Amino acid sequence: MLTPVDGGTGLWQAAQFLKPVVSSLFDSVSQRDAENKMAKLVVSENLSLDGVVEDPTGEQGFLHGGWFDQSVGGDREAWAKVEYAEALRAAALLIGRRTDEYFGSRWNSRSGDWPDRLNGLPKYVVSTTLEDPVWVNSTVLSGDIVAQITKLKREIDGEIVVYASRQLVHTLMEHDLVDELRLIVFPVVLGSGERLFGDTEDKKPLHLCSVQAVGDGLMLLTYGIIREV
């Protein structure tokens, strides 16, 4: 039977023997985690209570277009603070061709903290036809989009944020490339119009990460994607 002293000595000797083994295991886990580490792909959208994202500013001729300005009211400053904070956290933006045209034509000539941040971020525009993107600091992604974006997620450290780009969001959701949804819901039901989520081959289970009031009338809902292990 070991005395307390003998037991302590035996444990110390065992610990010294196992130390390099444990260290090797931790090194292997750390290396595996580093290799598997990928950027978080975040879909960030403004949408109506019934999920419509079409023509928020009323420039596309949609019957119910202009719902953003009609609904944001005195909450515009609170909304802008949320959007700016998100831009500060982003490592890159991922957008479609039409979104590149829309944002590029409006933000390239602006200055200030928020425009400077957005204009300075690297941007990746998904398009099979575009050669010269409009928004500054943009690179066109074409070909096998799923492979391109998967590669991008491995190369970028941080958040890749998707603005607007409804059709691109459909593709990302269908191929399970989205990690998080940030939805600012506007207090209006439009009844018709293009919705954020299209048909998918299977349901997409989510878990609610947070609920945040934005001003007095808007709500920011953040959802994570549930994936089977």
Side-chain angles (χ1 to χ4, degrees):
M1 183 175 180
L2 293 172
T3 65
V5 175
D6 291 336
T9 303
L11 289 173
W12 182 85
Q13 291 174 337
Q16 295 304 305
F17 174 77
L18 290 174
K19 185 176 179 180
V21 177
V22 173
S23 177
S24 177
L25 287 173
F26 274 113
D27 289 343
S28 298
V29 170
S30 298
Q31 182 177 357
R32 183 187 63 196
D33 289 345
E35 291 173 352
N36 294 334
K37 185 177 181 181
M38 299 180 74
K40 177 190 289 187
L41 199 155
V42 178
V43 170
S44 177
E45 300 283 348
N46 302 307
L47 72 170
S48 70
L49 191 58
D50 52 344
V52 175
V53 292
E54 183 176 2
D55 198 10
T57 57
E59 300 171 71
Q60 300 171 14
F62 171 47
L63 176 64
H64 303 303
W67 51 267
F68 177 93
D69 288 324
Q70 296 162 8
S71 304
V72 72
D75 296 327
R76 183 181 293 273
E77 183 177 352
W79 170 85
K81 286 182 178 179
V82 169
E83 295 291 334
Y84 177 49
E86 180 177 69
L88 291 177
R89 294 194 304 269
L93 302 180
L94 178 66
I95 54 179
R97 178 184 58 81
R98 290 172 60 184
T99 301
D100 166 66
E101 293 175 357
Y102 182 87
F103 279 86
S105 63
R106 287 160 176 77
W107 288 91
N108 281 346
S109 60
R110 295 183 184 181
S111 59
D113 293 340
W114 190 9
D116 290 349
R117 175 61 180 173
L118 288 178
N119 290 333
L121 282 171
K123 304 164 195 71
Y124 298 89
V125 185
V126 176
S127 175
T128 58
T129 58
L130 184 65
E131 294 184 0
D132 299 312
V134 178
W135 209 355
V136 293
N137 294 325
S138 293
T139 301
V140 176
L141 299 181
S142 58
D144 187 337
I145 297 304
V146 174
Q148 292 259 32
I149 294 175
T150 300
K151 181 174 180 288
L152 195 66
K153 291 180 70 174
R154 290 197 180 101
E155 293 175 344
I156 291 179
D157 182 16
E159 293 185 354
I160 303 173
V161 179
V162 181
Y163 290 148
S165 312
R166 179 182 60 87
Q167 293 180 339
L168 173 59
V169 171
H170 291 181
T171 300
L172 297 173
M173 289 292 292
E174 180 66 27
H175 292 281
D176 198 29
L177 291 168
V178 177
D179 300 298
E180 188 171 282
L181 299 168
R182 294 182 191 147
L183 311 176
I184 296 187
V185 181
F186 284 65
V188 59
V189 175
L190 299 178
S192 64
E194 296 176 344
R195 287 171 167 77
L196 177 61
F197 301 110
D199 294 337
T200 57
E201 293 183 359
D202 199 0
K203 63 181 179 295
K204 300 293 182 182
L206 312 172
H207 66 91
L208 182 63
C209 300
S210 66
V211 177
Q212 176 186 341
V214 179
D216 295 323
L218 311 181
M219 190 67 69
L220 170 60
L221 306 177
T222 303
Y223 291 93
I225 307 297
I226 297 177
R227 293 187 173 92
E228 294 183 1
V229 178

